[in-house]
Each structure stands twice: as structure tokens, then as C-alpha cells.
Amino acid sequence: MTKLIVDGSEIDVPPEYTLLQACEAAGAEIPRFCFHERLSIAGNCRMCLVELKGSPKPVASCAWGVRDCRPGPKGEPPEVNTRTPLVKKAREGVMEFLLINHPLDCPICDQGGECDLQDQAMAYGVDASRFAENKRAVEDKYIGALVKTSMNRCIQCTRCVRFATEVAGVPELGAIGRGEDMEITTYLESAMVSELQGNVVDLCPVGALTSKPYAFAARPWELGKTETIDVMDALGCAIRVDTRGREVMRILPRVNEAVNEEWISDKTRHVVDGLRTQRLDRPYVRENGKLRAASWPEAFSAIAAKVRATTPARLGAIAGDLAGVEEMFALKQLMSALGSANFDARPEHSAIAPDWGRGAYVFNATIAGIETSDALLVVGANPRREAAVLNARIRKRWRAGQYPIGLIGERAALTYDYEYLGAGPETLADVAAGRHRFAQTLSQARYPLILVGEGALTRDDGAAIAALAAGTAMACGAVKDGWNGYSVLHAAAARVGALEIGFVPVAGALATGAMMAGANLDVIFLLGADEVDIAPGVFVVYIGTHGDRGAYRADVILPGAAYTEKSAIFVNTEGRVQMTARAAFPPGDAREDWAIMRALSEVLGCKLAYDSLAMLRAALFKAHPRLRDIDGLLGGTAADVAAMAARGGKCEKTALRSGVDDFYLTNAIARASAVMAECSVIAENALPMTAAE
């Protein structure tokens, strides 16, 4: 530790700190525009000037290291002042320079009310400018469907450039020109294609980059703010949902160091319009081949008539990717009360089962643990498409150095360098047996990580591949005291929660694939399941939010609540128990999914024993006590991985591939979003630039 005197108070700080960090640790407030804790230091804006005793002029505290400070003539600690007249005058001068060319856009700027430049101009600026020259004008740039540019406002802090290059790993933004002609732009003004590009809007301190879909929609003081979690992938990123009345207006990230730091993907951020498009707001019943609007009693009566006309063995239920734990628990209890064990929440061909043990199907290393690992083997996954924020965490570790990465599966642009090992399970077998050169790399690592994608496990030989991957983890020392590097990356928010409560068929019952074939079913309940294709002849009851594939096939539609419209428990891919919070209410006659199940059970003559969400959760926690620990990790054991490795099995020789083909259109909400559709088209048409271009 190094001693410093900040504004007369002595403080001990690590020598690798900058003066800015040291001053903030001492309780001083340091203004800044270019500095950001998660980006490299640029030292562009000079707003963070402080007075360092012995220095002939103020120093930029963001770029001055504590270890670079000289002690006093008698060995006394370096002395820093942040509130002297010299500092005040220096900051006023910097602010005056920054405002020379800044337009008076505050009344119409989307950043108004949450703008760093506004706040710091009030706190550290002066009330008049000495410059009367004409302001510089800069053309606005087209950089895609998500980010709107007003480049007259840009102060060249380069936060956006550094984010695109360092965090997103897609260096699409850069500076051209010099001096007052300097501009931030993309290559030939092309659209940005990074899945994390929306984060530059949060980073921009002046409103030069704002959200294009949200443009001129609302002011921040009009909005109600609800802290909740995201369900667009299996990470459970911390988000804030801003609403006006009953309508969700925007989604922003919250800081959660264990999961998403402070980034979210563009699908998480901009799926908002999908929450209000193609919504199901009343029940429907199919008559003479056409759906007609109906009342709840009519819809329930149609379902009851079909259920009573068949046997329990010919009833089935499939839960979709966005289902919460409570509604799956209620549906499981309803099916059990009806005498059926045909329920599943896994994709077709998936063999993942609770009897594998939790350690065999969760991300044991944890998302934050990626930064601890020192070698990575990716098996049958594309982290950039399946979990863009997790991919950024891998890139962060890769940029720190000494991080060999191997990939088995389809080649992909993953924003970091990797060694392509092969396409199929036979390559994984070679690594497990030590015949491949990368096996030595894993064995020499202290904390190797084996990342298995859901696409590798949703095949007919998925159980055998899981056993082979677990065997690889055991052989290379990825599973030992204090470290479990065997990690499964799921693609759906509902998956781990469903496995935790046993929403999978027991021996002899029908799994998803068999229920889709429909040969042994008369009635099937789809709980938000839109990624299934039910064979003709089966009576389909769809409980969901959007007029997507499931509703198109349904004979009865029961409108449910989206994730922003209910409080529900989810378990993310690392086994972290999380809970959404209601930010808005479902439209029209739509109801929360668990309430639909409760009402339907009474009509079917097997009334569920709870009348409120609190009573349902009491029953859930009694059956599964560990779900009570919100934000706690359920965690797996090394014994689970060892048992998985011992299962063995024969693998096919077909190539492994990711389970996600289009990052932007993975669920019903995203497919209802015009913004996501546009992003999908842009990503599909994006071609890599060549040297000739």
C-alpha cells in the first residue's frame, strides 16, 4: 500500500491505483468524461485535473499513477488537492473549451435529464463563454438500426471507440481527421454489427450517441423504474425496466459484477417493441378451422371437454424457453393431479436430466470465474450468439494475456483468437485421451475451463457427448478442490429452473420429441413453447404472450404475462436463483401464467391448493427449499461431473454446432420486434471487409 494525503486526509491505497481512484477512495468527487472504470485510459477530456504538490501545473488524475507521485523533500507522503482555487479555475477552463462547439440542444436532446455534460457544467462550469466564433458543424453518421448520432455534440472522449475495440471486440468505431476536424465514425459509415453496440449509448456522456428506437419517446423523469432481471438468454443479466403508465419504454443495464458487470446485449435492451406487438390479450377458441375471441369460461370449457374425453396417458405439456419456475411448478402439479407424467421443458433430442446431478448441467466455474480460468475449451457452442455478455467476459480474460482457447464445433467469429481443433466429437475424444496437442495445454493450466454448449447436448448422442466432455474435464484436472471447470452454457432462461424442479419426464413418460410427433397424445399444453412443431390431430392449448408459432397451431389460446409483467423465479446457467419484478401489467384480459393454471385446475376438477403467488411459493419452497435463496448459487459437485464421465456412451461422427442460428430472433418476444428483425437483416447482410475495400 502507498500513503497519500488527499485534501488533508491521509489514506493508504494500492500502488497500481491512479490518482483519480485514490481521490475517490478518500471521498473526493472527481469529474470526468473520458475516464471509465472498465475501459483503457485515454486522458482526452482533462476534466479530472487535480493539484499535485510539487507539480508545476495541474495533472490529469485519470492518467497519473499513484506510484509515479514523488514524496516530499523530507519523505512525507505525496499531497493531492482537489478543491483549491487552482483546480477550480482549471476545471472551469476545460469546461469552457468543451462547450465551445457544443450546440444548445438540451431541450430536444434525448440525453437531457441524465447527461453528464449538463450535470458537470452546472457543478464545475461558468455561466458565460468568452468565445463568439461560429460553432463547428459535423454531419450525423449512419451507424445502424440501434444507435442514433448527433455528432455536433461529440466531445471526442472516445469512450465508444474504446468500448467497441476492447469490450465488444468488434472495432467498428474510430476517429478520422485531426484537430477540430476530428470525427468519430464507422468504416465507410456502415452499420455496426456488434451484439453489444447499444452500450455505447450508456457510455456517451454528452448525447452524441442516443438510442434510435427510443428517440423522442419519453423523458427520464416521466418514467417509473423497476429493477429486475433479463430472460433473453440464460445469464440473467441485471436490468432496469422503465415504464410510463402500462407501457414499457426502455430497458437499461444495472451493475452486477457476478453476472453482467454493467453491460447488456442489444436483444435485451431493444426487444421493448416486441413486448407490445402481436400480443395476445384475450382467450381464443378454434371453431371450424378458425380462431375466434372467447371468454375465459368458454376457453376453459373447451379444454375440459377434451381432457375428459381422453385418458391421463394421452395428456402432455411442454414448457418454453421463457417460463418461470412458479408456472412450471404449477403446470407440473396440474399434470400430476390429472394423472399424467408427460411433461418436459427441454428441446427435442435433449437428454439432460436432473438425475445427472446439478454439477453435470450448470456452469460450475461461474460467469465471474471465467476471469480466474487460464485455459478454455469450447465444445459445440458459439458464446457470441448464445450469450453475448458472457462472450465479452471471455474476451476480457483473453485480453489479460496467457489464455489459450480451443474450439470444437463450427467455426465462428468470437471476437478473440482461438485455435480451431475440429468439428466433431472425435476431436473431443482425442483431447480426452491426451492424443491432441491441446490436451497438454489444458493439463498444464491451473484452472482449465471446459465450456459445453447446449447445441452439443441436444442431439441423439447428447448424453454421450456430455459424458465425453466431463471425462475431458476430469482428465485435464479441470475438476479439483477449489475449482470445477466443467461448465454447461444453456441458451434458455427456463432450462436450469425446469431441471431443478424436475419438469422432465420420468421413465416411460413422453419427452418433447415424442410429444411433438403426437402419436400417443390427444391433448397437449404449451406453456410459452413456440419452438416446437406439434403434429396434426393433437388438441393444442397454448398459454403464452404472443401470436407466434405456438398460438398459430393452437386450438385454444390462453393469454399470459411477459417477464416484465410478473414476478417469477428463474435460475440462470450457473445455478444462480433470481427473481423478476413486475414493471407493468398484462394487456387486456391476459393473466399471470400461474393464475391461469390455478383457475383451469378448478374447472378440470383437480383444484390446486393455492390462491395467491405467496401460497404457491410456499409450496414451491417446501418442495425445493434451495430456491428460497434469491441470488444464491445452487452449485454442483465434483462427484456429479465424475458420475457423468463414468456414464460413457457412443458418439456419432456428425459435426457439433451451436443451438442458436440467429442471435436476434430466438424467442417469441424477439420475433415480434421490428427492431430485432432489422438487426437480423443487417447482421445477415454484413460482409467482412477486405484490404481492397
Side-chain angles (χ1 to χ4, degrees):
M1 303 292 280
T2 302
K3 288 188 183 298
L4 277 181
I5 298 176
V6 178
D7 293 333
S9 301
E10 190 172 291
I11 185 174
D12 288 331
V13 295
E16 61 270 15
Y17 266 28
T18 63
L19 275 186
L20 187 149
Q21 292 171 304
C23 291
E24 292 201 328
E29 182 180 297
I30 306 295
R32 84 291 299 270
F33 291 114
C34 67
F35 176 79
H36 192 277
E37 291 81 358
R38 303 186 197 278
L39 303 176
S40 62
I41 295 170
N44 291 342
C45 72
R46 320 307 286 181
M47 194 65 206
C48 62
L49 294 174
V50 297
E51 183 180 354
L52 179 61
K53 190 172 181 179
S55 174
K57 58 183 180 179
V59 300
S61 59
C62 72
W64 194 284
V66 167
R67 59 163 56 97
D68 298 326
C69 297
R70 292 184 300 174
K74 297 182 180 179
E76 59 266 28
E79 189 171 341
V80 182
N81 292 300
T82 68
R83 296 193 290 265
T84 61
L86 175 66
V87 173
K88 182 176 183 295
K89 183 178 180 182
R91 290 174 180 171
E92 288 176 351
V94 169
M95 181 61 70
E96 193 173 357
F97 272 114
L98 289 175
L99 293 176
I100 289 174
N101 288 307
H102 197 80
L104 298 176
D105 278 348
C106 296
I108 62 164
C109 178
D110 271 332
Q111 198 89 331
E114 46 192 9
C115 174
D116 290 347
L117 187 63
Q118 278 183 336
D119 297 340
Q120 293 184 43
M122 291 294 293
Y124 303 102
V126 291
D127 60 356
S129 174
R130 290 170 287 178
F131 292 89
E133 289 79 12
N134 291 332
K135 292 182 181 287
R136 179 188 71 155
V138 182
E139 288 187 4
D140 294 339
K141 311 293 191 299
Y142 169 77
I143 59 175
L146 303 181
V147 182
K148 179 185 176 186
T149 61
S150 297
M151 302 313 292
N152 282 337
R153 305 171 188 158
C154 181
I155 61 171
Q156 286 85 41
C157 70
T158 69
R159 279 187 182 182
C160 56
V161 176
R162 285 174 284 149
F163 173 84
T165 303
E166 298 165 11
V167 179
V170 186
E172 301 168 295
L173 289 172
I176 61 172
R178 301 179 68 183
E180 72 169 355
D181 295 325
M182 179 179 173
E183 299 180 25
I184 304 296
T185 183
T186 56
Y187 185 77
L188 298 181
E189 294 195 26
S190 58
M192 297 174 70
V193 295
S194 168
E195 298 82 3
L196 299 169
Q197 62 181 278
N199 291 287
V200 301
V201 173
D202 297 332
L203 289 172
C204 183
V206 297
L209 304 177
T210 55
S211 173
K212 187 176 285 188
Y214 178 69
F216 310 122
R219 287 298 194 182
W221 53 84
E222 302 175 330
L223 305 176
K225 301 169 177 62
T226 305
E227 295 187 351
T228 180
I229 61 152
D230 171 56
V231 299
M232 290 296 108
D233 54 34
L235 297 190
C237 297
I239 60 173
R240 192 188 85 195
V241 177
D242 288 358
T243 55
R244 184 172 60 188
R246 299 174 63 94
E247 186 177 6
V248 175
M249 300 303 296
R250 65 176 179 178
I251 294 174
L252 298 176
R254 290 188 295 120
V255 175
N256 186 339
E257 299 292 349
V259 180
N260 59 305
E261 297 181 299
E262 61 183 85
W263 318 123
I264 54 173
S265 72
D266 294 333
K267 182 167 57 177
T268 297
R269 183 187 300 269
H270 291 294
V271 79
V272 171
D273 64 318
L275 288 167
R276 50 181 177 258
T277 307
Q278 298 183 3
R279 285 301 301 270
L280 301 172
D281 59 356
R282 66 187 70 180
Y284 289 85
V285 175
R286 189 178 296 277
E287 288 183 356
N288 301 321
K290 293 185 178 181
L291 289 168
R292 69 164 179 86
S295 65
W296 282 99
E298 283 182 293
F300 285 163
S301 296
I303 297 169
K306 287 292 183 179
V307 171
R308 289 170 185 147
T310 188
T311 61
R314 299 186 68 83
L315 299 174
I318 299 176
D321 293 349
L322 306 183
V325 170
E326 291 93 341
E327 53 250 38
M328 288 191 288
F329 182 75
L331 181 55
K332 179 184 177 182
Q333 286 201 324
L334 175 60
M335 296 300 293
S336 299
L338 292 172
S340 174
N342 302 325
F343 44 80
D344 203 353
R346 304 167 302 175
E348 186 181 10
H349 306 300
S350 176
I352 306 173
D355 61 7
W356 285 9
R358 192 181 295 113
Y361 61 76
V362 299
F363 203 95
N364 293 292
T366 72
I367 298 168
I370 291 172
E371 297 183 37
T372 302
S373 64
D374 50 4
L376 172 64
L377 175 63
V378 180
V379 180
N382 183 335
R384 183 175 173 183
R385 283 205 300 249
E386 296 170 33
V389 174
L390 180 137
N391 192 66
R393 183 86 74 151
I394 295 174
R395 175 175 169 79
K396 179 181 178 182
R397 173 62 187 89
W398 172 77
R399 290 185 70 243
Q402 300 299 314
Y403 195 54
I405 301 173
L407 173 67
I408 300 175
E410 59 181 338
R411 294 180 185 269
L414 294 181
T415 73
Y416 40 81
D417 295 335
Y418 61 84
E419 181 181 351
Y420 185 70
L421 309 183
E426 61 275 10
T427 305
L428 181 59
D430 288 342
V431 175
R435 296 189 294 267
H436 197 284
R437 62 184 180 278
F438 200 76
Q440 185 177 1
T441 301
L442 292 173
S443 297
Q444 291 174 348
R446 292 185 62 192
Y447 302 109
L449 196 159
I450 314 296
L451 189 157
V452 184
E454 194 175 65
L457 307 180
T458 52
R459 307 169 16 136
D460 292 332
D461 61 343
I465 292 175
L468 187 56
T472 305
M474 299 298 295
C476 72
V479 181
K480 55 191 174 185
D481 288 342
W483 178 254
N484 188 340
Y486 179 77
S487 302
V488 176
L489 177 59
H490 291 277
R495 199 81 72 229
V496 178
L499 294 169
E500 187 64 26
I501 65 171
F503 199 91
V504 295
V506 296
L510 301 180
T512 298
M515 286 189 278
M516 287 171 60
N520 299 310
L521 286 184
D522 291 327
V523 179
I524 186 168
F525 295 88
L526 300 182
L527 179 58
D530 293 282
E531 281 67 45
V532 295
D533 185 13
I534 307 300
V538 181
F539 186 84
V540 176
V541 179
Y542 177 75
I543 306 167
T545 59
H546 285 73
D548 202 68
R549 301 167 187 169
Y552 179 79
R553 173 63 182 83
D555 295 288
V556 174
I557 294 174
L558 305 178
Y563 70 104
T564 56
E565 300 159 358
K566 62 187 176 184
S567 175
I569 292 173
F570 289 85
V571 185
N572 80 347
T573 192
E574 61 182 349
R576 184 180 301 276
V577 183
Q578 300 174 301
M579 185 182 293
T580 63
R582 175 190 281 165
F585 288 88
D589 291 334
R591 296 292 182 266
E592 293 186 44
D593 304 68
W594 74 266
I596 295 173
M597 246 78 72
R598 163 62 181 80
L600 179 59
S601 69
E602 191 165 2
V603 176
L604 296 178
C606 50
K607 181 179 176 181
L608 298 176
Y610 30 79
D611 297 323
S612 67
L613 182 58
M615 293 175 66
L616 167 56
R617 283 185 175 150
L620 172 65
F621 295 153
K622 183 177 180 181
H624 306 280
R626 298 191 65 179
L627 292 176
R628 190 189 304 268
D629 183 18
I630 302 300
D631 204 40
L633 285 170
L634 298 178
T637 65
D640 295 335
V641 183
M644 189 70 238
R647 287 175 176 265
K650 185 177 181 181
C651 299
E652 301 172 2
K653 291 190 176 181
T654 53
L656 299 171
R657 60 187 304 273
S658 169
V660 176
D661 294 323
D662 190 329
F663 167 78
Y664 296 102
L665 304 176
T666 54
N667 57 62
I669 301 175
R671 286 190 290 270
S673 167
V675 176
M676 292 296 97
E678 186 176 357
C679 290
S680 176
V681 171
I682 291 173
E684 185 177 352
N685 294 334
L687 298 175
M689 295 296 181
T690 65
E693 293 178 282

